[in-house]
Amino acid sequence: MADLGAAGATRRRRRATFAAGRGGSLVPMNGASAAACPSAGTAGHSGDTPGQKHGSPETARTRESLLSSESGYNNYRGILNWCVVMLILSNARLFLENLLRHGILVDPIQVVSLFLKDPYSWPAACMVIVSNIFIMVALYTERQLSKGSFSEPVGLTIHCINLTVILTFPVAVVLTVPSVTPVGGAFALGIYTIVLLKLYSYRDVNMWCRDLSRAKAKNCPAPSPVSVLLLHRTSKVCYPGNLTIKDMYYFAFAPTLCYELNFPRSPKIRMGFLLRRLVEMLFFTQLLVALTQQWMIPIIQSSMKPLEDMDLSRMMERLLRLAVPNHLLWLMFFYWFFHSSLNFSAELLRFGDRQFYNDWWNAETVTYFWQNWNIPVHKWCLRHFYKPLLRRGFSKIVSQSAVFFLSAFFHEYLVSIPLRMFRLWAFMGMMAQLPLAWFVGNFLHGNYGNAAVWISLIVGQPFAVLMYVHDYYVLPGEAYIVH
Amino acid sequence: MADLGAAGATRRRRRATFAAGRGGSLVPMNGASAAACPSAGTAGHSGDTPGQKHGSPETARTRESLLSSESGYNNYRGILNWCVVMLILSNARLFLENLLRHGILVDPIQVVSLFLKDPYSWPAACMVIVSNIFIMVALYTERQLSKGSFSEPVGLTIHCINLTVILTFPVAVVLTVPSVTPVGGAFALGIYTIVLLKLYSYRDVNMWCRDLSRAKAKNCPAPSPVSVLLLHRTSKVCYPGNLTIKDMYYFAFAPTLCYELNFPRSPKIRMGFLLRRLVEMLFFTQLLVALTQQWMIPIIQSSMKPLEDMDLSRMMERLLRLAVPNHLLWLMFFYWFFHSSLNFSAELLRFGDRQFYNDWWNAETVTYFWQNWNIPVHKWCLRHFYKPLLRRGFSKIVSQSAVFFLSAFFHEYLVSIPLRMFRLWAFMGMMAQLPLAWFVGNFLHGNYGNAAVWISLIVGQPFAVLMYVHDYYVLPGEAYIVH
């Protein structure tokens, strides 16, 4: 109840009004003189000096409470710290409760079994090695095209067949080889999807270069001496000089999906930077595995019963309970993949363009989030899908919906095939972004829009996770299509 | 995985660097020309216009990831929204879990039983009515002193006896009358403590006024005509004109502990303001009771077992589990009492000084918090305890510690007597603020200091609550002193 009239209080005082109200000298306000009494006025103004016999009889004056709207006060800086402290304490409590209830569930050996069913059969690794064939086919086709050995229609046909096989071959393997685990299958499919997008970009850029050099040849037949000089000074690679195995594999390993003849390069490998990213990668890998085993899996297991019973209020509770670890894991995954891993490979390859993500955490619209959280894919979509559609005369809204449709297709592709069941939850989750984007863009602005984006991330993902878990475990008879 | 190249993307784009990196026109950077190839340079710069046959072969340029320290980026505005969303969702989950586990526990009738054991015996209400006697004794003594019927030593003796009885009479009643409930006892003791502080201030100020008028009389014997004119114009009350029953009861009901002859008054009662505060008072009363019954009590009950077993890790878990509702209830209590209730009574009495609290939520030191969260008590301590001690020649550090000691005494007084057990947890909790204030003031600054203040509030209170609950329920044989 009681407070402290402390030494040095005035020093820490920030609000001049309060400081003025404390001492003996008062400013008259609201027309009321601050003097206690006309007969005692002068003495009352003498202030408090040590040794004075008495205090000042009057110290109050008219003012509003800070939280009244009339006060005009709005400094709630401390509330941010409050939020952080409350979040940390709440999660510390959850962590302790989890440990007390389940003991330590972390088991690094178990992770290996997610990738391998049979230690003598490595189907996912074999598939990744096989993908080199498709890369070589694309390079060979481009070489023949540059020499004129293949005509453009022949080249297009070979590329189309190559890309179709890249898309369908891993599907066939995952669905027919029993030793492929869901995690191993998802990994292989992810690699194949990346190769697909990269080779599509490779074909597009080389075709544009042929178009450009043909147009150039028509306008001015020979390169000017100045441009040849520039060529040598900056050691730029020029089409068809880029069609080498070294260039192809640099692109295959580079952390980008958009091919360029001359990638921006950083001057040297910074060893300190490389080491920090490596430590982050190892640390977050461990943390992701540990938190999944200790936190996610017990919640998912305890959700089976409510899911079977279709107990809606309990399902809701499990959904919200799952939302926190799922979201934290997603944030860690984001940092692990988009910051640590991609920067690590970029540093190793002296790849200059490190814009793997943008400030999506400030996104006030769903569109801004999707444009900024995964820049490599966003750039690919913009350059090789959205803009070509616009050039072919499609309207913006159609092209935009087509991008979401493509994205939804790949989301479903990467989830359904490894799980060997086709439920369309991921597809619908992505397609639901379109009406959500429309709603948030039109009705919510500023911080409300930002909060809506966060809510859709925090609640939407565990919803899809629970849906797949339900279908994978609760409906095993229906869910397993192949075996 | 996939992102959207949306219509109007550039409009929403905030970072000029990114916008520059997207289009076809590129600024040369890091000495590397952005032209794809010397032979294709001009065409590559033509930008993307619909109808153009090909895309731009080069779009990347050297830049750092936003989260790298090298990028110099620091806009994490969205994180605040993230904190708010996470807090709301976490607590929604807790609320749902609580409802599913316990059902609805809210019972407004039960509240009455906290105040009344026997419906024909209202000891707390009787004690509050009796307190009028002490107020009248103080007024009578001051009147006799002003007339000179009592000498100063006689007046001081009567005041001392009066204040001592105010302090001890309710203790005797609570400890001897069995029908006083802990809540009723705490309420009565709170009222008596307020009366004690008010009458102490009343005596001090009237004594200062006598000193001032004596000093005045020595210097200039009669009031000048000008000051008499001022007296009539502003209708200021002058000592001993303030020694009336009306003035005394205005002070008794006014939301302040520091007596003044002429309180600042607001011009009129704003009915809208009064009504809003009244609605808030009623709403928060209901909410406080409901949350205590639904949220606090189940946690406290489930803490009994770990407390009996002295199971440290489970006690820690219960402590953190209790911290969230306890803290939210304390925040609501703060708003209910210091904003709604005190502003309501101030508006009703046209009391002008509404500074009942300051911006303690931004406190970066423990001292600043104690100086600003409870301004009425802080002002009283400053005016009637800290400054008089300084005037008597005590050092600042001694006076400061004395204020904390007084505060600790009243904390213990208001908790121990109603619970009828003397454990010194509240006393030690207050005294622990002294080393805490020293530590935070010397070692933590800015946001860290603010976070430390929040942690001490969030964790410190439930610790004391659990201690008293433990002693009250777990050790009933020892704890009940009287019956």
Side-chain angles (χ1 to χ4, degrees):
Chain A
M1 271 277 178
D3 294 353
L4 167 69
T10 317
R11 181 167 51 78
R12 292 199 194 87
R13 193 73 51 204
R14 285 178 214 134
R15 303 188 67 248
T17 53
F18 186 44
R22 285 169 70 232
S25 63
L26 278 160
V27 185
M29 202 169 163
N30 286 10
S33 163
C37 229
S39 59
T42 35
H45 275 276
S46 60
D48 303 297
T49 48
Q52 188 190 0
K53 278 278 165 55
H54 49 75
S56 143
E58 317 244 324
T59 60
R61 59 188 185 77
T62 306
R63 53 203 147 180
E64 289 292 340
S65 297
L66 289 190
L67 294 177
S68 293
S69 52
E70 290 86 353
S71 75
Y73 179 84
N74 64 357
N75 178 5
Y76 299 106
R77 206 165 31 86
I79 304 301
L80 177 60
N81 293 312
W82 178 80
C83 286
V84 172
V85 167
M86 284 293 275
L87 271 179
I88 291 174
L89 285 181
S90 305
N91 283 300
R93 207 270 299 170
L94 280 178
F95 185 75
L96 198 62
E97 187 192 11
N98 175 293
L99 268 187
L100 289 171
R101 187 179 291 177
H102 303 295
I104 290 173
L105 299 174
V106 177
D107 175 9
I109 307 300
Q110 200 200 339
V111 180
V112 180
S113 75
L114 289 175
F115 286 91
L116 288 179
K117 244 180 208 160
D118 172 4
Y120 296 101
S121 162
W122 296 59
C126 293
M127 278 159 76
V128 172
I129 291 165
V130 166
S131 69
N132 287 298
I133 296 171
F134 305 107
I135 295 174
M136 295 318 291
V137 168
L139 177 61
Y140 175 79
T141 312
E142 281 303 328
R143 280 202 175 168
Q144 299 303 320
L145 277 166
S146 75
K147 283 188 273 180
S149 312
F150 286 178
S151 67
E152 287 289 334
V154 171
L156 181 66
T157 314
I158 296 176
H159 272 303
C160 283
I161 294 168
N162 194 32
L163 295 177
T164 312
V165 174
I166 292 176
L167 196 66
T168 51
F169 166 70
V171 176
V173 172
V174 169
L175 292 183
T176 54
V177 177
S179 67
V180 178
T181 62
V183 176
F187 175 74
L189 280 175
I191 297 285
Y192 269 78
T193 307
I194 291 168
V195 170
L196 174 74
L197 298 178
K198 285 195 183 213
L199 293 186
Y200 189 94
S201 173
Y202 191 70
R203 189 202 79 88
D204 257 14
V205 172
N206 281 312
M207 191 186 68
W208 293 338
C209 282
R210 281 196 301 281
D211 285 355
L212 279 171
S213 51
R214 249 178 253 135
K216 191 83 191 163
K218 227 186 287 175
N219 293 343
C220 66
S224 70
V226 178
S227 64
V228 171
L229 194 72
L230 264 169
L231 173 69
H232 287 280
R233 250 234 304 269
T234 59
S235 68
K236 286 264 165 208
V237 175
C238 188
Y239 186 84
N242 63 315
L243 300 174
T244 63
I245 292 184
K246 192 180 162 229
D247 179 272
M248 186 67 179
Y249 273 95
Y250 183 84
F251 173 54
F253 286 104
T256 179
L257 298 173
C258 293
Y259 180 67
E260 291 186 23
L261 276 70
N262 297 288
F263 284 111
R265 301 291 287 268
S266 48
K268 66 183 188 66
I269 299 176
R270 293 166 293 178
M271 286 313 288
F273 185 88
L274 196 72
L275 216 69
R276 263 179 290 150
R277 295 294 90 79
L278 184 67
V279 169
E280 280 174 8
M281 275 169 74
L282 296 176
F283 174 74
F284 278 109
T285 310
Q286 298 300 317
L287 196 63
L288 280 168
V289 169
L291 285 180
T292 307
Q293 291 178 329
Q294 183 76 42
W295 201 359
M296 282 280 278
I297 291 175
I299 296 175
I300 290 177
Q301 283 171 345
S302 73
S303 309
M304 289 302 108
K305 182 88 178 59
L307 278 172
E308 275 176 42
D309 303 349
M310 291 303 282
D311 179 343
L312 272 181
S313 55
R314 270 183 206 283
M315 272 162 71
M316 190 72 198
E317 197 267 330
R318 295 295 145 174
L319 178 69
L320 289 175
R321 186 184 277 249
L322 190 60
V324 175
N326 178 78
H327 182 64
L328 291 181
L329 286 174
W330 180 77
L331 286 180
M332 278 177 211
F333 165 79
F334 169 82
Y335 189 87
W336 173 78
F337 187 74
F338 285 94
H339 190 71
S340 306
S341 304
L342 292 187
N343 262 308
F344 177 79
S345 64
E347 193 68 32
L348 211 58
L349 293 167
R350 289 180 36 237
F351 184 80
D353 187 359
R354 308 293 171 86
Q355 197 190 35
F356 307 123
Y357 53 87
N358 216 319
D359 62 338
W360 57 265
W361 44 85
N362 296 334
E364 290 172 7
T365 61
V366 174
T367 321
Y368 188 85
F369 168 77
W370 287 107
Q371 283 164 355
N372 289 283
W373 92 275
N374 186 342
I375 295 283
V377 169
H378 172 66
K379 271 188 189 159
W380 187 92
C381 287
L382 204 68
R383 193 183 186 212
H384 298 291
F385 197 78
Y386 181 72
K387 284 187 181 172
L389 281 178
L390 285 188
R391 279 197 293 271
R392 275 157 200 249
F394 289 99
S395 72
K396 281 188 173 182
I397 190 80
V398 170
S399 312
Q400 192 173 339
S401 305
V403 172
F404 266 108
F405 186 85
L406 184 78
S407 161
F409 168 77
F410 276 108
H411 273 89
E412 189 61 38
Y413 176 80
L414 288 169
V415 174
S416 288
I417 311 291
L419 291 178
R420 298 184 175 102
M421 60 181 196
F422 302 93
R423 292 286 150 186
L424 295 186
W425 298 123
F427 183 83
M428 292 195 296
M430 265 316 291
M431 291 311 280
Q433 300 295 317
L434 272 177
L436 181 69
W438 172 82
F439 176 78
V440 173
N442 283 285
F443 296 104
L444 299 169
H445 300 286
N447 285 337
Y448 293 101
N450 187 233
V453 171
W454 280 116
I455 290 172
S456 79
L457 282 175
I458 295 171
V459 177
Q461 287 178 4
F463 189 75
V465 168
L466 272 189
M467 283 300 175
Y468 276 103
V469 166
H470 172 263
D471 293 356
Y472 194 73
Y473 287 104
V474 179
L475 310 171
E478 303 172 41
Y480 281 77
I481 284 172
V482 176
H483 64 144
Chain B
M1 270 278 179
D3 294 353
L4 167 69
T10 318
R11 181 167 50 79
R12 291 198 195 89
R13 192 74 50 206
R14 284 176 216 136
R15 304 188 66 248
T17 53
F18 186 43
R22 285 169 70 231
S25 62
L26 278 160
V27 185
M29 201 169 163
N30 286 9
S33 163
C37 228
S39 59
T42 35
H45 276 275
S46 60
D48 303 297
T49 48
Q52 188 190 359
K53 278 278 166 53
H54 50 75
S56 143
E58 317 243 324
T59 59
R61 60 187 184 77
T62 305
R63 53 202 147 180
E64 290 291 340
S65 296
L66 289 190
L67 294 177
S68 293
S69 51
E70 290 86 353
S71 74
Y73 179 84
N74 64 357
N75 178 5
Y76 298 106
R77 205 166 31 86
I79 304 300
L80 177 60
N81 293 312
W82 178 80
C83 285
V84 173
V85 167
M86 285 292 275
L87 271 179
I88 291 174
L89 285 181
S90 304
N91 284 300
R93 207 270 299 170
L94 281 178
F95 184 75
L96 198 61
E97 187 192 11
N98 175 293
L99 268 187
L100 289 171
R101 187 179 292 177
H102 303 294
I104 290 173
L105 298 175
V106 177
D107 175 9
I109 307 300
Q110 200 200 338
V111 180
V112 180
S113 74
L114 289 175
F115 286 91
L116 287 179
K117 244 180 208 160
D118 172 4
Y120 296 101
S121 162
W122 296 59
C126 292
M127 277 158 78
V128 172
I129 291 166
V130 166
S131 69
N132 287 298
I133 295 171
F134 305 106
I135 295 174
M136 295 317 292
V137 167
L139 177 61
Y140 175 78
T141 312
E142 282 303 329
R143 280 203 175 168
Q144 299 304 319
L145 277 166
S146 75
K147 283 188 275 180
S149 312
F150 285 177
S151 66
E152 287 290 333
V154 171
L156 181 67
T157 313
I158 296 176
H159 272 304
C160 283
I161 294 169
N162 193 33
L163 295 177
T164 311
V165 174
I166 292 175
L167 195 66
T168 51
F169 165 70
V171 176
V173 172
V174 168
L175 293 183
T176 53
V177 177
S179 67
V180 179
T181 62
V183 176
F187 175 75
L189 280 175
I191 297 285
Y192 269 78
T193 307
I194 291 169
V195 169
L196 174 75
L197 298 178
K198 285 195 183 213
L199 293 187
Y200 189 94
S201 173
Y202 190 71
R203 189 202 79 88
D204 258 15
V205 172
N206 281 313
M207 190 186 68
W208 294 337
C209 282
R210 280 197 302 281
D211 285 356
L212 279 171
S213 51
R214 249 178 253 133
K216 191 83 190 163
K218 229 187 285 176
N219 294 342
C220 65
S224 70
V226 177
S227 64
V228 171
L229 195 71
L230 264 169
L231 173 70
H232 287 280
R233 251 233 304 269
T234 59
S235 68
K236 285 264 165 208
V237 175
C238 187
Y239 186 84
N242 63 316
L243 300 174
T244 63
I245 291 184
K246 192 179 162 229
D247 179 272
M248 187 67 178
Y249 272 95
Y250 183 84
F251 172 54
F253 286 104
T256 179
L257 297 173
C258 293
Y259 180 66
E260 292 186 24
L261 275 70
N262 296 289
F263 284 111
R265 301 291 287 268
S266 48
K268 66 183 189 67
I269 298 177
R270 293 166 293 179
M271 285 313 289
F273 185 88
L274 197 72
L275 216 69
R276 264 178 290 149
R277 295 294 89 81
L278 184 67
V279 169
E280 281 174 7
M281 275 170 74
L282 296 175
F283 173 74
F284 278 108
T285 310
Q286 299 300 317
L287 196 63
L288 280 168
V289 169
L291 285 180
T292 306
Q293 291 178 329
Q294 183 75 43
W295 201 359
M296 282 280 277
I297 291 175
I299 297 175
I300 290 177
Q301 283 171 345
S302 72
S303 309
M304 289 302 108
K305 183 88 178 57
L307 278 172
E308 275 176 42
D309 303 349
M310 291 303 281
D311 179 343
L312 271 181
S313 55
R314 269 182 207 284
M315 271 163 72
M316 190 72 197
E317 197 266 329
R318 295 294 145 174
L319 178 69
L320 288 175
R321 186 184 276 249
L322 190 61
V324 175
N326 178 78
H327 182 64
L328 291 181
L329 286 174
W330 180 77
L331 286 180
M332 277 177 211
F333 165 79
F334 169 81
Y335 189 87
W336 172 77
F337 187 74
F338 286 94
H339 190 70
S340 306
S341 303
L342 292 188
N343 262 308
F344 178 79
S345 64
E347 193 68 32
L348 211 59
L349 294 167
R350 289 179 37 237
F351 185 80
D353 186 0
R354 307 293 171 86
Q355 197 189 35
F356 307 123
Y357 53 86
N358 216 319
D359 62 337
W360 57 264
W361 45 85
N362 296 334
E364 291 173 7
T365 60
V366 174
T367 321
Y368 188 85
F369 168 77
W370 287 107
Q371 284 164 353
N372 289 282
W373 92 275
N374 186 342
I375 295 283
V377 169
H378 172 66
K379 270 188 190 160
W380 187 92
C381 287
L382 204 69
R383 193 184 187 212
H384 297 292
F385 197 78
Y386 181 71
K387 284 187 181 172
L389 280 178
L390 285 187
R391 279 197 292 271
R392 274 156 202 251
F394 288 99
S395 71
K396 280 188 174 183
I397 190 81
V398 169
S399 311
Q400 193 173 340
S401 305
V403 172
F404 266 109
F405 186 85
L406 184 78
S407 161
F409 168 77
F410 276 109
H411 272 89
E412 189 61 39
Y413 176 80
L414 288 169
V415 175
S416 288
I417 310 291
L419 292 177
R420 298 186 175 100
M421 59 182 196
F422 301 93
R423 292 286 150 186
L424 294 186
W425 298 123
F427 183 83
M428 292 194 297
M430 264 317 291
M431 290 312 279
Q433 300 295 317
L434 271 177
L436 182 69
W438 173 82
F439 176 79
V440 173
N442 283 286
F443 296 104
L444 299 169
H445 300 286
N447 285 337
Y448 293 101
N450 187 232
V453 171
W454 279 116
I455 290 173
S456 79
L457 281 175
I458 295 171
V459 178
Q461 287 177 5
F463 189 75
V465 168
L466 272 189
M467 283 300 176
Y468 276 103
V469 166
H470 172 264
D471 293 355
Y472 194 73
Y473 287 105
V474 180
L475 310 171
E478 303 172 42
Y480 281 76
I481 284 172
V482 176
H483 63 145

